[in-house]
Amino acid sequence: LTISAIAFYVLFFSTQNAQTQTTWTPLDGPLLTPASKDVSANDNNIIYGADAPFIVKSTDGGENWHQTLYKIPSPIVLSVSPDNQLKVVAGQKVKNDVYKLLYTEDGFATEPRNALVTETIKKPLRLVRSVNNSERVYLGITYKSGKSSLRYSLDAGFSWISVNYFRDDPENPDDIATSVYDVATLKNGTGMDDKVLVAGYGGYGIQDGMWYTENFDEEEPTFTPITDIAVSGKDIISVAMRVELVSGIEKSRKFALGANGNFYRNKFENDLEPWEKLPDEQIPFYGYNAIKILALSNGNLVVASHGKGIFTSSDNGDNWSSLNGSGSGHTLRDLNVNAFSLDPSDEDEERWYV
């Protein structure tokens, strides 16, 4: 198991020996901005990060770094295209938590374009890549005054399409803005995303919690709010889905992570409901700020939390094992994890960036 980490402004790598003891060793490198890294999936040695006023790049897995040519004040790196490591989506801080969304096709050798034309967006910026198509990217944001808080791109971030369902009332600009926190897609082998699960904070006419659709690729997808009492109105930070066989029938298993480390899952009596909240004492990261949940193709779940570290489960959350490291070396419990992603080029799903 090889894990690379950006935490507490420093890059770490880890190894796991035959006794499954994970050790963490800091690498020499820039003081990277938290939640500001991504990895190129066509070569997992290529990493982009932010070290203001530059985007920085490593071509050897984080051992050495160099500055890209174009300066970007207060940057954050959001995504690198798995098909072309020169295609990068980044954010540039304008003021406070307001950002421009930037896109480059030359690795910041020249001035990047504003991917949302003249628009600015509010942090947090949640960018999620489809599990079916590496060029499909989802962007969850906070908006007011009639703008959509869920966008998606079919060309790795060059252009963006609004999802009208997640749009605030344009006639009521003082209404609470909808915030989309996370998006989960279900692998189907078609290259399209029909089943999509969204987590966020509701605005005009939209209930807090989660929303689900099975026709996302239609012109106007129909989203169904998940109204089960276990999750309705809850502050859901991250969601995940995967296909499981239930009595010989394929169904989508859904998972949700609450802001305070609450863990939820659906029980398969139908495709959406009912849901259950696992007991607090069963969750080792309960009470800590949740960061991200991923459902892996090998059947495992992985959860990252700020101040508690990373945990994995092979039985849908009934039991959890720590991936925080052990022994006398650095461990993730010593640090504050700010971001978490899987390197999609690793077929064994054993390389992490946090």
Side-chain angles (χ1 to χ4, degrees):
L1 178 65
T2 301
I3 303 176
S4 298
I6 292 174
F8 237 80
Y9 297 84
V10 181
L11 184 69
F12 287 77
F13 76 92
S14 75
T15 57
Q16 189 173 53
N17 61 27
Q19 287 75 40
T20 67
Q21 291 182 335
T22 306
T23 58
W24 292 83
T25 305
L27 291 172
D28 293 331
L31 298 181
L32 297 169
T33 305
S36 183
K37 57 88 207 70
D38 208 338
V39 57
S40 171
N42 60 2
D43 183 345
N44 57 29
N45 285 318
I46 296 178
I47 306 171
Y48 285 86
D51 186 24
F54 288 98
I55 299 291
V56 292
K57 180 180 179 180
S58 172
T59 58
D60 54 13
E63 290 283 354
N64 297 283
W65 296 83
H66 67 269
Q67 297 172 341
T68 55
L69 295 178
Y70 191 80
K71 288 185 179 181
I72 300 176
S74 303
I76 56 173
V77 176
L78 295 174
S79 177
V80 180
S81 170
D83 300 323
N84 182 348
Q85 53 93 1
L86 296 178
K87 292 182 178 180
V88 184
V89 180
Q92 176 186 335
K93 186 175 182 179
V94 179
K95 59 179 180 179
N96 297 328
D97 283 336
V98 178
Y99 283 77
K100 291 194 297 186
L101 192 70
L102 304 179
Y103 176 83
T104 180
E105 291 186 328
D106 61 12
F108 299 102
T110 59
E111 181 178 2
R113 67 185 295 273
N114 190 337
L116 294 179
V117 193
T118 60
E119 294 184 40
T120 56
I121 52 184
K122 291 191 68 177
K123 199 179 178 183
L125 313 177
R126 303 297 179 92
L127 198 145
V128 178
R129 193 172 301 279
S130 164
V131 298
N132 292 302
N133 185 333
S134 62
E135 293 287 291
R136 294 179 67 110
V137 187
Y138 297 85
L139 178 68
I141 49 185
T142 297
Y143 260 143
K144 285 189 176 182
S145 302
K147 296 178 181 179
S148 170
S149 58
L150 177 59
R151 307 286 183 94
Y152 67 101
S153 172
L154 301 177
D155 49 22
F158 180 82
S159 59
W160 294 87
I161 302 168
S162 296
V163 179
N164 287 329
Y165 181 88
F166 296 95
R167 185 184 295 275
D168 286 307
D169 182 4
E171 297 181 359
N172 186 8
D174 294 326
D175 184 65
I176 297 175
T178 302
S179 298
V180 172
Y181 295 151
D182 199 16
V183 176
T185 58
L186 198 63
K187 196 169 185 65
N188 57 30
T190 67
M192 308 291 279
D193 289 337
D194 47 5
K195 296 181 179 181
V196 175
L197 183 64
V198 177
Y201 182 85
Y204 176 77
I206 301 178
Q207 187 176 11
D208 300 351
M210 292 181 288
W211 309 273
Y212 179 69
T213 184
E214 293 189 346
N215 65 340
F216 187 88
D217 277 304
E218 294 184 4
E219 185 173 349
E220 288 292 338
T222 303
F223 282 86
T224 301
I226 297 179
T227 59
D228 187 276
I229 190 172
V231 292
S232 178
K234 302 297 191 297
D235 194 1
I236 304 298
I237 293 296
S238 184
V239 288
M241 290 194 295
R242 68 160 172 258
V243 173
E244 288 189 12
L245 284 177
V246 181
S247 301
I249 300 174
E250 284 191 352
K251 291 193 174 184
S252 57
R253 168 73 81 171
K254 300 175 181 64
F255 305 93
L257 192 61
N260 199 38
N262 295 310
F263 180 84
Y264 309 89
R265 64 188 180 192
N266 69 327
K267 296 171 66 175
F268 274 154
E269 292 181 22
N270 61 50
D271 205 33
L272 287 181
E273 300 172 352
W275 284 69
E276 62 179 335
K277 176 184 178 296
L278 269 62
D280 298 343
E281 61 272 15
Q282 191 173 322
I283 307 302
F285 44 85
Y286 174 74
Y288 290 80
N289 292 333
I291 302 297
K292 182 71 175 177
I293 181 171
L294 290 176
L296 308 186
S297 59
N298 64 8
N300 288 349
L301 296 174
V302 179
V303 165
S305 63
H306 183 87
K308 193 67 173 178
I310 298 180
F311 295 85
T312 184
S313 173
S314 59
D315 52 15
N316 293 324
D318 288 332
N319 297 279
W320 297 88
S321 300
S322 170
L323 290 179
N324 289 326
S326 56
S328 59
H330 292 271
T331 74
L332 288 184
R333 289 188 179 183
D334 301 329
L335 310 170
N336 286 324
V337 174
N338 291 284
F340 174 62
S341 62
L342 169 69
D343 174 4
S345 70
D346 188 343
E347 295 181 357
D348 295 326
E349 297 177 319
E350 293 181 343
R351 181 182 292 267
W352 312 101
Y353 289 82
V354 302

